[in-house]
Amino acid sequence: MAVRIDDLDRKILAELQRDASQSLDEIAKTVSSSKTPVWNRIRKMRDAGIIGQQTVILDPEALGFEACFFVLIRTSEHEADWQKSFLKALQERPEVLEAHRLAGDIDYILKVRVRNARAYDAFYQALISEVRVHNVTALLSMEEIKSTTALPL
Amino acid sequence: MAVRIDDLDRKILAELQRDASQSLDEIAKTVSSSKTPVWNRIRKMRDAGIIGQQTVILDPEALGFEACFFVLIRTSEHEADWQKSFLKALQERPEVLEAHRLAGDIDYILKVRVRNARAYDAFYQALISEVRVHNVTALLSMEEIKSTTALPL
DNA sequence: GCTGAAAACGCACCTGG
DNA sequence: CCAGGTGCGTTTTCAGC
């Protein structure tokens, strides 16, 4: 599981995170190696699951997704059944971009992207009708100051 | 600015989000069109900034980033200068993956990924020594239930 | 594990419907 | 605005070092 990653691997990952459309030659040059070793290492890390999905980042505003909420959820229910249906509800709703189970006072946090406040309300109503939650606080984002998927290797 | 996006464009974007490494032919086939129009539309949307960075999603756990925190920040300072230096601090810290300015009670929320709790504490100490904040609450993620960059087109 | 070359493949562009 | 064709760059593989 814990595949050993050396310094060259890290450099390759950093380049891929920065721009995955680069050619092997370009990557090889910037990490001061050459095509074949870079290709072998990428393959190895892909197979190991370290490198996952290759995707494009779209501009949410340009596509009309103008509202972003962070939703803090407290629940009184902690049985396996409840949790299962809650997780299922989250997985099925595409407007939920992230969901974490938390330690402490607040049980879950969600990041939800929708077209506008009305769409958020529709989401909220649908969610609370599907699963019982004790307390929900929505934090409305006014401005996305920073957004990256790049891990600090 | 508001480039018109039609249904075919949306299908293309969905495919690119799903897997950006696909060949033009594959995308063309799944959206029931053919190479040239798909290519022209992708180019148009790239130029319009709708399609941004092409990247890979790495597995944080496999790379030793085992701790993820959401940080809720309240501040009493609302002057332009303070805000400027706060934003700069966030931009410069690679462990801050997301930062939003919020409406309401809480002023900012951050998503921070680090190797362990110690590394978070180091980040926290560094941050509060750089800029004055009134109140900080850290929410520790126990489990990433869902994580996607895909907008629900 | 690396180099270098060679074959298969896909892209970017263009010309003409 | 779309179909098809083509030259060129890139990926992928496979020898030998």
Side-chain angles (χ1 to χ4, degrees):
Chain A
M1 179 76 267
V3 183
R4 247 192 78 54
I5 297 296
D6 68 9
D7 216 56
L8 180 55
D9 289 324
R10 250 182 281 275
K11 281 196 212 164
I12 294 169
L13 290 176
E15 277 306 305
L16 284 176
Q17 284 195 128
R18 205 177 55 75
D19 178 6
S21 72
Q22 285 174 101
S23 77
L24 271 183
D25 273 327
E26 285 174 304
I27 297 172
K29 211 167 72 183
T30 54
V31 304
S32 339
S33 179
S34 94
K35 256 171 32 175
T36 317
V38 171
W39 191 80
N40 283 327
R41 281 153 181 268
I42 289 177
R43 210 160 91 85
K44 194 188 67 194
M45 292 191 285
R46 224 187 268 289
D47 293 347
I50 294 170
I51 299 176
Q53 202 192 10
Q54 180 163 338
T55 189
V56 293
I57 304 300
L58 305 182
D59 180 355
E61 309 281 332
L63 291 162
F65 291 89
E66 308 209 327
C68 178
F69 290 86
F70 288 87
V71 184
L72 308 179
I73 295 173
R74 264 179 267 249
T75 176
S76 36
E77 326 245 347
H78 292 281
E79 296 137 43
D81 265 14
W82 179 90
Q83 194 175 358
K84 209 168 128 190
S85 70
F86 182 59
L87 297 199
K88 188 153 164 285
L90 298 179
Q91 295 290 357
E92 281 173 0
R93 306 218 140 256
E95 54 270 65
V96 178
L97 301 189
E98 284 198 46
H100 292 250
R101 186 166 57 79
L102 301 176
D105 192 27
I106 295 162
D107 295 304
Y108 296 93
I109 186 168
L110 315 181
K111 181 185 170 191
V112 178
R113 252 215 194 276
V114 285
R115 301 201 162 269
N116 48 48
R118 266 251 287 303
Y120 173 74
D121 193 48
F123 161 78
Y124 170 75
Q125 298 292 344
L127 185 70
I128 61 171
S129 80
E130 267 184 78
V131 291
R132 271 188 73 76
V133 291
H134 176 247
N135 181 281
V136 178
T137 307
L139 308 175
L140 169 59
S141 170
M142 287 281 98
E143 183 188 4
E144 193 170 286
I145 295 166
K146 182 172 184 178
S147 177
T148 180
T149 57
L151 298 176
L153 303 168
Chain B
M1 181 74 269
V3 183
R4 246 192 79 53
I5 297 295
D6 69 8
D7 216 57
L8 181 55
D9 289 324
R10 251 181 282 275
K11 282 196 214 161
I12 294 170
L13 291 176
E15 277 305 306
L16 285 176
Q17 284 195 129
R18 206 176 56 74
D19 178 6
S21 72
Q22 284 174 104
S23 77
L24 271 183
D25 275 325
E26 285 175 304
I27 297 172
K29 211 167 75 185
T30 53
V31 304
S32 341
S33 179
S34 96
K35 249 171 35 175
T36 320
V38 171
W39 189 78
N40 283 327
R41 283 154 181 267
I42 290 177
R43 210 161 88 83
K44 194 189 66 194
M45 292 191 282
R46 223 186 270 289
D47 293 346
I50 293 170
I51 298 176
Q53 202 194 10
Q54 180 163 339
T55 189
V56 294
I57 305 301
L58 304 182
D59 179 355
E61 308 281 333
L63 291 162
F65 291 89
E66 309 209 326
C68 178
F69 290 86
F70 288 87
V71 184
L72 308 179
I73 294 174
R74 264 179 266 251
T75 177
S76 35
E77 327 245 345
H78 292 281
E79 296 138 45
D81 266 14
W82 179 89
Q83 194 175 359
K84 211 168 126 189
S85 70
F86 182 60
L87 297 199
K88 188 154 163 285
L90 298 180
Q91 294 291 357
E92 283 173 358
R93 305 218 141 256
E95 53 270 67
V96 178
L97 300 189
E98 284 199 47
H100 292 250
R101 186 166 56 80
L102 301 176
D105 192 26
I106 295 163
D107 296 304
Y108 296 92
I109 186 169
L110 316 181
K111 180 185 169 192
V112 178
R113 253 216 193 274
V114 285
R115 302 201 163 269
N116 48 48
R118 265 249 290 301
Y120 172 74
D121 192 49
F123 162 78
Y124 170 75
Q125 298 293 344
L127 185 70
I128 61 170
S129 79
E130 268 184 76
V131 291
R132 270 189 75 74
V133 292
H134 176 246
N135 182 283
V136 178
T137 306
L139 308 175
L140 169 60
S141 170
M142 288 281 98
E143 183 188 5
E144 193 170 285
I145 295 166
K146 182 172 184 178
S147 178
T148 180
T149 58
L151 298 175
L153 303 167

